[in-house]
Amino acid sequence: MGEERFGEFVVVRRAGDGHVAELVLDRPKAMNAVSSAMARSIAGACAALSRDPGVRVTVLTSTHERAFCVGADLKERNALSDADLLKQRPVARAAYGGVLDLPMPTIAAVHGFALGGGFELALSCDVIVADRSAVVGLPEVSVGVIPGGGGTQLLPRRVGTARAAELIFTARRLDAAEAADLGLVDQLVDVGRDRDEALALAARMAANSPVGLRAAKRALRLGHGLDLPSGLEIEDAAWRTVAFSGDRAEGVAAFNEKREPRWPGE
């Protein structure tokens, strides 16, 4: 298994053929609270993953047994002046934006607490797998701020504006069962199984064309919220990037020859 550390608090792992990467939050002493240093590491790891054409799927995981991520490091924030906070803002945005902008499919493996910025990291992924210990929420208004890692934009895209408003304005926490019922998480699994199930799902995705996966994600992301004709133009542009690719030729050949494809990835 290959492993690369980004700063003190983030690790990227690749196993087997390396087509599935694991982006690991590794600040257990603080339940993965996102400090400035950790935010820089998340952004750096995402930049490296984005440049790696061999990675077909990325899974976001945690080393803490009782938390995915509890959000921003409020102890650090308490020591920041207004000027410091203003300087820190682009650092935080780069971390959340780094996850959101990963070009390949992404899966969050959530257990325990995923609150505030921690839940926003999960929301930045395409699919959220949560075990039954998960507790999620966006409690920022209870400490005088708002969800600033994408929560006000990503949550309504999952559950609708009115439901998102209720959850954000009340700052309430949801257990795993309610989160699954409302669509805040996509798959609910047994306690302790979130990482394994997320990696298994990633392996199923990674068996498919890397060119196709990235193009499909691009069409999904860029087309969301547009009127149908505009969305179909986005889809057509994405189709054109794959229609004449080596992956498309290999996929058709493999189907007709009744064998597994050997994707060239181009």
Side-chain angles (χ1 to χ4, degrees):
M1 176 182 291
E3 182 171 298
E4 182 178 4
R5 183 166 286 276
F6 292 81
E8 187 178 354
F9 305 126
V10 174
V11 178
V12 171
R13 296 174 181 157
R14 295 175 180 83
D17 56 18
H19 294 324
V20 174
E22 187 177 355
L23 176 56
V24 186
L25 305 177
D26 186 31
R27 195 186 178 202
K29 291 182 179 178
M31 300 181 82
N32 288 329
V34 182
S35 63
S36 296
M38 187 172 179
R40 290 188 186 94
S41 294
I42 293 171
C46 288
L49 287 167
S50 294
R51 293 190 298 266
D52 189 340
V55 176
R56 300 180 185 175
V57 184
T58 295
V59 181
L60 185 59
T61 68
S62 160
T63 59
H64 196 286
E65 62 181 14
R66 293 188 295 109
F68 174 72
C69 172
V70 294
D73 186 339
L74 296 184
K75 290 183 179 179
E76 179 189 67
R77 294 282 179 90
N78 191 50
L80 298 180
S81 66
D82 288 351
D84 291 335
L85 186 60
L86 192 60
K87 290 179 182 178
Q88 198 267 352
R89 177 62 176 159
V91 175
R93 289 196 68 183
Y96 298 108
V99 176
L100 185 63
D101 292 340
L102 283 169
M104 73 291 290
T106 52
I107 304 169
V110 174
H111 60 268
F113 296 110
L115 302 173
F119 189 42
E120 288 173 303
L121 287 173
L123 288 171
S124 296
C125 295
D126 299 303
V127 179
I128 302 175
V129 175
D131 82 5
R132 295 182 185 279
S133 73
V135 177
V136 306
L138 296 174
E140 283 88 346
V141 297
S142 70
V143 293
V145 291
I146 69 167
T152 65
Q153 305 305 304
L154 295 171
L155 187 59
R157 282 167 166 76
R158 276 185 164 267
V159 300
T161 302
R163 178 66 69 189
E166 182 263 318
L167 295 172
I168 291 171
F169 297 162
T170 61
R172 71 185 181 93
R173 302 178 179 189
L174 293 78
D175 64 22
E178 184 178 9
D181 286 344
L182 296 182
L184 275 72
V185 304
D186 303 301
Q187 292 188 20
L188 191 59
V189 301
D190 291 339
V191 173
R193 293 289 302 168
D194 55 296
R195 177 178 177 270
D196 288 344
E197 295 293 342
L199 288 171
L201 176 60
R204 292 197 295 276
M205 292 179 181
N208 297 308
S209 158
V211 171
L213 288 171
R214 292 186 180 218
K217 176 167 179 171
R218 191 162 61 249
L220 282 164
R221 286 287 178 89
L222 294 179
H224 186 91
L226 299 180
D227 60 86
L228 182 57
S230 298
L232 291 173
E233 290 302 313
I234 294 290
E235 181 182 82
D236 185 66
W239 177 85
R240 291 174 186 277
T241 67
V242 301
F244 309 106
S245 69
D247 274 14
R248 197 275 313 171
E250 168 61 14
V252 172
F255 177 84
N256 283 291
E257 294 167 15
K258 296 181 173 56
R259 60 173 174 80
E260 293 297 319
R262 298 181 291 272
W263 302 116
E266 57 185 22

